Amino acid sequence: MLNEQELHAALSDIPPTFKQAHRLVKFLSDNPHAITVAVNQACSIGNISDVARRINPHLFRRGLYISCRRPPEPVFNKFDEPSQMFEWSLHRISQDAANDSDGATA
């Protein structure tokens, strides 16, 4: 979760016309590990990965990035089948990774 100042700074690096990106950063700041459907509904974004890919270069300047991962327990759809839902989060780049010569984040 970002404090108000960090959130404002991160949003200031994103073009003001990229409204989906602003909604995504605000939402993930308050809702870490949100599953795909929650992000879709709250932010009105159909392709979350495309928005994240396009704004991550802006967020990197603030030591942040958006990523997703499979949830520890699968999310089942209404047919009781495992779905392709992921958990989305806004992360801080670790200081160790930020100091790596290759800029790795893992």
Side-chain angles (χ1 to χ4, degrees):
M1 177 184 269
L2 303 178
N3 66 38
E4 195 65 32
Q5 184 178 6
E6 291 170 319
L7 179 60
H8 178 72
L11 293 174
S12 71
D13 287 341
I14 299 169
T17 56
F18 197 177
K19 305 276 188 210
Q20 289 181 326
H22 284 258
R23 292 192 301 266
L24 182 59
V25 171
K26 288 177 188 176
F27 182 76
L28 293 179
S29 177
D30 291 334
N31 299 280
H33 311 293
I35 63 168
T36 301
V37 69
V39 178
N40 289 139
Q41 291 173 347
C43 301
S44 294
I45 298 173
N47 189 341
I48 303 164
S49 60
D50 180 59
V51 174
R53 179 187 56 79
R54 290 170 41 205
I55 63 171
N56 270 339
H58 300 283
L59 295 175
F60 285 157
R61 295 181 203 141
R62 300 287 175 176
L64 303 167
Y65 68 101
I66 293 173
S67 72
C68 66
R69 67 176 186 149
R70 290 197 182 277
E73 296 293 324
V75 176
F76 290 89
N77 64 23
K78 68 181 181 179
F79 304 106
D80 204 30
E81 302 165 337
S83 69
Q84 291 299 310
M85 295 290 159
F86 287 81
E87 289 183 349
W88 291 88
S89 294
L90 179 63
H91 303 278
R92 294 181 194 279
I93 297 172
S94 73
Q95 289 303 317
D96 293 336
N99 292 327
D100 285 350
S101 62
D102 66 354
T105 58

